[in-house]
Amino acid sequence: SVGPDGSPTADPQTSFSAGTATIYAYADFSDWEGSHTVTFNWYAPDGSLFASYTDTSTNFGPVADYSALNVAGTTAAGKLGSWRVDVVIDGQVAKQPFTLTR
């Protein structure tokens, strides 16, 4: 989830309007040693994979990796309903549902 200034927040926002410019998903790491792969998979209300972003990096200190879904003025804005973003870190999945409304 993201705050008004674009920074990550602890409490995820779970409802957005189709007029929202961008929705962000973050993965925060207190330490990042060795090579790791983070994938953000954005699923539309019909269950189809709408967008995906993968980052493979090595040896960072504390870092926040993120993916952005552009909504307003895009085809995403026309797909109202229950969405989900899956954050896959080295094969382990965390799922975050959210709703896109008018």
Side-chain angles (χ1 to χ4, degrees):
S1 165
V2 65
D5 63 352
S7 63
T9 63
D11 298 319
Q13 182 176 343
T14 58
S15 184
F16 302 87
S17 77
T20 301
T22 307
I23 299 172
Y24 295 91
Y26 283 89
D28 290 320
F29 300 92
S30 58
D31 192 20
W32 181 303
E33 293 181 14
S35 180
H36 298 279
T37 300
V38 180
T39 300
F40 295 86
N41 292 320
W42 299 85
Y43 292 95
D46 65 3
S48 65
L49 180 63
F50 186 81
S52 185
Y53 167 76
T54 298
D55 181 30
T56 300
S57 300
T58 304
N59 295 333
F60 282 124
V63 66
D65 205 352
Y66 73 94
S67 178
L69 178 69
N70 294 323
V71 178
T74 72
T75 57
K79 297 181 181 289
L80 303 179
S82 297
W83 285 71
R84 188 180 84 234
V85 59
D86 290 359
V87 182
V88 184
I89 303 169
D90 295 334
Q92 295 185 15
V93 182
K95 299 177 181 186
Q96 178 61 55
F98 64 95
T99 304
L100 192 62
T101 62
R102 281 194 198 279

